[in-house]
Short mmCIF file of all heavy atoms in Angstrom, two decimals:
data_model
loop_
_atom_site.label_atom_id
_atom_site.label_comp_id
_atom_site.label_asym_id
_atom_site.label_seq_id
_atom_site.Cartn_x
_atom_site.Cartn_y
_atom_site.Cartn_z
N ASN Q 47 -13.82 -5.59 -91.45
CA ASN Q 47 -14.76 -5.00 -90.55
C ASN Q 47 -15.17 -3.57 -91.02
O ASN Q 47 -14.68 -3.06 -92.01
CB ASN Q 47 -14.16 -5.00 -89.11
CG ASN Q 47 -12.97 -4.02 -89.00
OD1 ASN Q 47 -12.72 -3.17 -89.89
ND2 ASN Q 47 -12.23 -4.16 -87.93
N ARG Q 48 -16.03 -2.95 -90.24
CA ARG Q 48 -16.59 -1.68 -90.63
C ARG Q 48 -15.55 -0.59 -90.85
O ARG Q 48 -15.60 0.18 -91.82
CB ARG Q 48 -17.58 -1.19 -89.54
CG ARG Q 48 -18.10 0.20 -89.85
CD ARG Q 48 -19.13 0.70 -88.75
NE ARG Q 48 -19.73 1.93 -89.20
CZ ARG Q 48 -19.18 3.13 -89.03
NH1 ARG Q 48 -18.02 3.28 -88.42
NH2 ARG Q 48 -19.79 4.18 -89.50
N GLU Q 49 -14.59 -0.53 -89.93
CA GLU Q 49 -13.56 0.48 -90.06
C GLU Q 49 -12.79 0.45 -91.34
O GLU Q 49 -12.57 1.46 -92.04
CB GLU Q 49 -12.55 0.34 -88.90
CG GLU Q 49 -11.53 1.45 -88.78
CD GLU Q 49 -10.63 1.24 -87.57
OE1 GLU Q 49 -11.06 0.57 -86.60
OE2 GLU Q 49 -9.49 1.63 -87.61
N GLN Q 50 -12.42 -0.77 -91.76
CA GLN Q 50 -11.71 -0.97 -93.01
C GLN Q 50 -12.59 -0.64 -94.19
O GLN Q 50 -12.20 -0.13 -95.21
CB GLN Q 50 -11.15 -2.36 -93.16
CG GLN Q 50 -10.09 -2.70 -92.12
CD GLN Q 50 -8.92 -1.69 -92.13
OE1 GLN Q 50 -8.47 -1.32 -93.21
NE2 GLN Q 50 -8.48 -1.25 -90.99
N LEU Q 51 -13.90 -0.99 -94.13
CA LEU Q 51 -14.86 -0.73 -95.20
C LEU Q 51 -15.00 0.80 -95.39
O LEU Q 51 -15.03 1.29 -96.50
CB LEU Q 51 -16.21 -1.30 -94.89
CG LEU Q 51 -16.27 -2.81 -94.81
CD1 LEU Q 51 -17.65 -3.29 -94.31
CD2 LEU Q 51 -15.94 -3.42 -96.20
N VAL Q 52 -15.04 1.50 -94.29
CA VAL Q 52 -15.15 2.98 -94.40
C VAL Q 52 -13.91 3.56 -95.10
O VAL Q 52 -13.99 4.40 -95.95
CB VAL Q 52 -15.30 3.62 -93.00
CG1 VAL Q 52 -15.25 5.15 -93.03
CG2 VAL Q 52 -16.64 3.18 -92.35
N ARG Q 53 -12.75 3.00 -94.80
CA ARG Q 53 -11.50 3.42 -95.38
C ARG Q 53 -11.55 3.15 -96.91
O ARG Q 53 -11.14 3.97 -97.74
CB ARG Q 53 -10.32 2.67 -94.72
CG ARG Q 53 -8.96 3.14 -95.30
CD ARG Q 53 -7.84 2.52 -94.48
NE ARG Q 53 -7.97 2.91 -93.14
CZ ARG Q 53 -7.32 3.98 -92.62
NH1 ARG Q 53 -6.64 4.72 -93.37
NH2 ARG Q 53 -7.48 4.32 -91.35
N MET Q 54 -12.02 1.97 -97.30
CA MET Q 54 -12.11 1.60 -98.66
C MET Q 54 -13.06 2.55 -99.43
O MET Q 54 -12.74 2.93 -100.57
CB MET Q 54 -12.61 0.14 -98.82
CG MET Q 54 -11.59 -0.89 -98.51
SD MET Q 54 -12.38 -2.49 -98.38
CE MET Q 54 -11.08 -3.50 -99.05
N LEU Q 55 -14.12 2.95 -98.82
CA LEU Q 55 -15.04 3.89 -99.41
C LEU Q 55 -14.35 5.24 -99.61
O LEU Q 55 -14.40 5.84 -100.68
CB LEU Q 55 -16.30 4.09 -98.54
CG LEU Q 55 -17.32 2.96 -98.60
CD1 LEU Q 55 -18.31 3.13 -97.44
CD2 LEU Q 55 -18.08 3.00 -99.93
N TYR Q 56 -13.65 5.63 -98.60
CA TYR Q 56 -12.90 6.89 -98.62
C TYR Q 56 -11.87 6.89 -99.72
O TYR Q 56 -11.73 7.89 -100.47
CB TYR Q 56 -12.29 7.15 -97.21
CG TYR Q 56 -11.69 8.55 -97.13
CD1 TYR Q 56 -12.49 9.61 -96.86
CD2 TYR Q 56 -10.32 8.67 -97.32
CE1 TYR Q 56 -11.92 10.87 -96.75
CE2 TYR Q 56 -9.73 9.93 -97.21
CZ TYR Q 56 -10.55 11.06 -96.95
OH TYR Q 56 -10.00 12.31 -96.88
N ASP Q 57 -11.11 5.83 -99.88
CA ASP Q 57 -10.10 5.71 -100.85
C ASP Q 57 -10.64 5.40 -102.26
O ASP Q 57 -9.89 5.21 -103.20
CB ASP Q 57 -9.08 4.60 -100.49
CG ASP Q 57 -8.30 4.94 -99.22
OD1 ASP Q 57 -8.28 6.10 -98.83
OD2 ASP Q 57 -7.71 3.99 -98.60
N ASN Q 58 -11.95 5.25 -102.38
CA ASN Q 58 -12.59 4.88 -103.68
C ASN Q 58 -11.91 3.61 -104.21
O ASN Q 58 -11.62 3.44 -105.36
CB ASN Q 58 -12.41 5.99 -104.67
CG ASN Q 58 -13.46 5.89 -105.81
OD1 ASN Q 58 -14.46 5.19 -105.63
ND2 ASN Q 58 -13.20 6.57 -106.92
N ALA Q 59 -11.74 2.58 -103.36
CA ALA Q 59 -10.99 1.43 -103.70
C ALA Q 59 -11.88 0.25 -104.11
O ALA Q 59 -11.38 -0.76 -104.59
CB ALA Q 59 -10.14 0.96 -102.43
N VAL Q 60 -13.16 0.42 -103.97
CA VAL Q 60 -14.11 -0.67 -104.35
C VAL Q 60 -15.32 -0.11 -105.08
O VAL Q 60 -15.59 1.08 -104.97
CB VAL Q 60 -14.65 -1.43 -103.14
CG1 VAL Q 60 -13.58 -2.42 -102.60
CG2 VAL Q 60 -15.13 -0.51 -102.05
N ASP Q 61 -16.03 -0.99 -105.83
CA ASP Q 61 -17.27 -0.53 -106.51
C ASP Q 61 -18.43 -0.34 -105.50
O ASP Q 61 -19.02 0.70 -105.56
CB ASP Q 61 -17.63 -1.58 -107.55
CG ASP Q 61 -16.65 -1.65 -108.68
OD1 ASP Q 61 -16.35 -0.59 -109.29
OD2 ASP Q 61 -16.19 -2.77 -109.02
N LEU Q 62 -18.68 -1.37 -104.71
CA LEU Q 62 -19.79 -1.30 -103.80
C LEU Q 62 -19.40 -1.95 -102.45
O LEU Q 62 -18.63 -2.89 -102.41
CB LEU Q 62 -21.00 -2.04 -104.38
CG LEU Q 62 -21.63 -1.53 -105.67
CD1 LEU Q 62 -22.58 -2.54 -106.24
CD2 LEU Q 62 -22.29 -0.18 -105.45
N VAL Q 63 -20.07 -1.47 -101.41
CA VAL Q 63 -19.84 -2.06 -100.09
C VAL Q 63 -21.19 -2.49 -99.54
O VAL Q 63 -22.21 -1.84 -99.67
CB VAL Q 63 -19.21 -1.01 -99.18
CG1 VAL Q 63 -19.21 -1.46 -97.72
CG2 VAL Q 63 -17.77 -0.68 -99.56
#
Side-chain angles (χ1 to χ4, degrees):
N47 69 14
R48 176 180 188 272
E49 185 179 334
Q50 295 305 318
L51 294 173
V52 172
R53 183 173 301 270
M54 286 169 143
L55 284 166
Y56 188 80
D57 293 342
N58 201 18
V60 283
D61 292 307
L62 297 168
V63 168

